[in-house]
Amino acid sequence: MKITVIGAGYVGLVSAACFAEIGNEVMCVEKISSKLDTLKKGESPIYEPGLSEVLKRNISENRITFTDNMDDAIHFGEAIFLCVGTPQSETGKADLSQVEEAARQIAQMATSYKLVIEKSTVPVNTNKWVKRTLERYAKDGVDFDVASNPEFLREGSALEDFMKPDRIVVGVESERAEKIFRELYKPFTDQGYPLLVTNTAAAELIKHASNSFLALKISYINMVSDLCEKVGADVELVAEGMGLDKRIGRQFLNAGLGYGGSCFPKDVKAFVKIAEENGLDFALLRETDCLNEERRPKFIEKIEEILWINKNKTIAVWGLAFKPNTDDVREAPAIDIVNALSDSGATLNMYDPKATETFKTVVPEADNMSYCANAYEALEGADALIVLTEWEEFKEADLAKVKSMLKLPIIIDGRNLYDPKEMKKQGFEYYCMGR
Ligand code: UGA
């Protein structure tokens, strides 16, 4: 099938690459010229395991091309995926100006039927606005369908999530649109992956409701974790005990610094707003958001309880990305934590396996803030180590070496990477979350 993808951000690029990988012909639009040049060379502008290899292969086999020419792109595919940004506006509402602009351009340029598919996360009933925009600006006699096909890709494992989905959700309003989706996703349904067909509003809701529910699970376990600290229980065991119940499940019950990234913080706020606009107070999610925002100041308090005074102390920081296996630092807990520690007079030696360069654009190097080439370099002369992202590299660190390099054997772990008993045996003063 010929497919057009508008927007080579995270969702657009991974989807475009994977649609090409399963045999479709894909044209992907990117407006930023430096990014377009990178993509044309077959390089990925973001770090995502496996993505560069898939891009290179499909470029060389002519299944994927990149362009900044909307006209060419709109004529190319019958199915057009909207993967443009839907950032959060000041009120918490999603800013849909890029969706509107893309819809308008499609309407003005299309000369034959197009299935316009929302893939970016959008508020419920955005499809009605997209449809109205298409109809307003369309050439006479050109038909459109609008559909929703939300993505459930996690950064760091996006290719695997695409290729082995828990479910594929498509929201359609016509048989013609459903038929196109059934053909597009046949390689998956043939392997037994479930395809759920709904109307468009339900598909839009499934995305927001799923992300918000996962965020709720995280805030829930973080609250339980605080309670564990008070009563002397281990949150890891509590989560295990809860998770063995299949109705609850163990995933997304990892206590720690709370959720970050470009999705959960934004989507929870947007979902609260959507409810509000429909006369409902989603207090449960407002609280989810508040609990999450408290995680960072609480962790800073914990550091102060342990170190007493931060001024003139050197702190090694392991992990800057919002989660492992990505170089993305959007809404990363590390940003607030590092800035607060710096404001309180500490010197920071920071290290992340992949996110150093992106983090530097948000927190520039300064007299008291330096970026290190490897994990051990960050430890030199440090009074304590704090762990902010659960990279595998940190789990596998040589703890004897860590101990010998730190001035004091203090580790404050925001992600529960190590076994407290083992750490005690190794001679560490080890602090973690909810244990
Ligand atoms: C999330 C969803 O998991 C995807 O299904 C969805 O497609 C995506 O948002 C999106 O809307 O585009 P992502 O933000 O990449 O994916 O990462 P997650 O693995 O969901 O983690 C989000 C945040 O929650 C991270 O900061 C992570 O550290 C935190 N988290 C996750 C916890 O604090 N505890 C957990 O148990 C799990």
Side-chain angles (χ1 to χ4, degrees):
M1 191 181 287
K2 280 186 160 186
I3 294 172
T4 295
V5 175
I6 301 180
Y10 204 89
V11 173
L13 187 55
V14 172
S15 305
C18 291
F19 279 133
E21 181 76 357
I22 57 169
N24 298 290
E25 280 179 69
V26 182
M27 188 178 280
C28 184
V29 185
E30 176 52 55
K31 281 200 255 172
I32 303 167
S33 62
S34 57
K35 211 166 153 189
L36 184 63
D37 293 342
T38 307
L39 289 166
K40 281 183 170 168
K41 279 186 248 157
E43 288 163 17
S44 171
I46 47 170
Y47 172 74
E48 178 62 37
L51 183 57
S52 292
E53 291 79 352
V54 172
L55 275 180
K56 284 210 167 75
R57 180 164 55 245
N58 285 281
I59 288 175
S60 73
E61 291 170 13
N62 289 325
R63 279 194 299 267
I64 189 166
T65 48
F66 293 94
T67 181
D68 54 4
N69 187 320
M70 273 295 263
D71 205 22
D72 285 354
I74 287 164
H75 284 104
F76 184 82
E78 189 178 48
I80 302 181
F81 283 89
L82 300 181
C83 300
V84 294
T86 53
Q88 188 182 309
S89 70
E90 274 170 19
T91 61
K93 240 174 118 162
D95 170 0
L96 298 175
S97 52
Q98 294 180 54
V99 174
E100 192 270 350
E101 190 189 340
R104 202 160 14 99
Q105 287 181 308
I106 294 169
Q108 286 163 340
M109 292 170 185
T111 50
S112 59
Y113 169 80
K114 301 289 169 190
L115 171 60
V116 179
I117 306 154
E118 305 163 342
K119 204 150 189 57
S120 318
T121 305
V122 291
V124 62
N125 281 333
T126 299
N127 71 88
K128 291 194 176 142
W129 278 106
V130 173
K131 180 94 178 158
R132 207 176 290 174
T133 306
L134 290 167
E135 283 166 0
R136 269 187 193 150
Y137 292 92
K139 292 187 171 64
D140 282 347
V142 179
D143 286 335
F144 295 99
D145 272 313
V146 178
S148 164
N149 173 214
E151 54 81 23
F152 304 104
L153 312 172
R154 285 164 302 173
E155 293 191 17
S157 56
L159 273 83
E160 168 133 358
D161 288 345
F162 191 99
M163 292 301 181
K164 297 177 186 165
D166 284 347
R167 80 297 208 190
I168 299 160
V169 174
V170 299
V172 292
E173 303 295 332
S174 78
E175 274 175 28
R176 188 176 191 178
E178 181 175 340
K179 199 164 157 259
I180 293 174
F181 278 119
R182 290 207 181 274
E183 188 190 330
L184 177 64
Y185 285 114
K186 194 167 181 300
F188 296 92
T189 47
D190 280 353
Q191 291 177 70
Y193 293 109
L195 172 77
L196 177 71
V197 181
T198 66
N199 71 2
T200 318
E204 289 167 333
L205 267 184
I206 286 169
K207 171 65 195 218
H208 262 132
S210 300
N211 271 8
S212 298
F213 188 78
L214 292 171
L216 172 75
K217 242 181 137 176
I218 297 168
S219 281
Y220 186 87
I221 200 66
N222 280 332
M223 193 69 219
V224 173
S225 163
D226 286 354
L227 189 55
C228 284
E229 284 188 14
K230 300 274 182 215
V231 300
D234 181 339
V235 72
E236 295 284 315
L237 292 175
V238 175
E240 197 182 325
M242 289 168 63
L244 283 170
D245 184 331
K246 287 193 189 70
R247 294 169 302 173
I248 298 174
R250 175 63 183 83
Q251 288 186 57
F252 282 71
L253 286 181
N254 293 322
L257 300 171
Y259 54 82
S262 65
C263 305
F264 287 180
K266 177 181 78 141
D267 290 353
V268 169
K269 287 188 177 72
F271 209 30
V272 168
K273 229 37 209 171
I274 292 165
E276 197 181 296
E277 283 169 359
N278 287 282
L280 300 168
D281 178 12
F282 217 144
L284 187 64
L285 286 185
R286 280 197 285 111
E287 190 54 25
T288 297
D289 188 39
C290 285
L291 289 173
N292 194 59
E293 288 189 357
E294 280 171 7
R295 298 313 289 167
R296 300 161 193 205
K298 272 196 176 165
F299 189 67
I300 293 158
E301 266 171 39
K302 190 188 263 262
I303 295 173
E304 279 166 3
E305 273 164 25
I306 297 160
L307 299 183
W308 185 27
I309 305 285
N310 293 334
K311 198 169 174 189
N312 298 329
K313 291 214 169 98
T314 299
I315 300 175
V317 180
W318 277 6
L320 304 170
F322 85 96
K323 62 179 276 190
N325 296 323
T326 179
D327 60 357
D328 197 340
V329 302
R330 284 175 288 177
E331 300 277 337
I335 299 173
D336 293 335
I337 293 168
V338 158
N339 280 329
L341 293 175
S342 162
D343 289 348
S344 65
T347 295
L348 302 169
N349 293 341
M350 300 173 280
Y351 170 73
D352 188 281
K354 292 285 175 208
T356 302
E357 290 311 312
T358 39
F359 201 80
K360 270 186 197 171
T361 63
V362 189
V363 181
E365 227 156 347
D367 285 349
N368 68 334
M369 297 216 247
S370 55
Y371 291 94
C372 303
N374 64 64
Y376 298 103
E377 192 186 304
L379 304 173
E380 266 172 51
D383 297 277
L385 162 65
I386 61 171
V387 182
L388 304 182
T389 318
E390 65 275 34
W391 284 92
E392 205 54 40
E393 181 180 326
F394 303 151
K395 286 185 201 162
E396 286 164 7
D398 175 347
L399 291 171
K401 190 168 170 186
V402 172
K403 189 161 171 251
S404 72
M405 293 190 75
L406 283 169
K407 209 156 43 178
L408 296 169
I410 300 175
I411 300 184
I412 310 166
D413 177 1
R415 299 290 186 176
N416 287 348
L417 286 197
Y418 309 109
D419 174 8
K421 278 197 200 115
E422 184 56 33
M423 296 305 276
K424 197 169 172 196
K425 211 157 77 191
Q426 298 235 14
F428 283 101
E429 216 182 291
Y430 177 65
Y431 303 90
C432 44
M433 311 296 278
R435 295 190 289 173

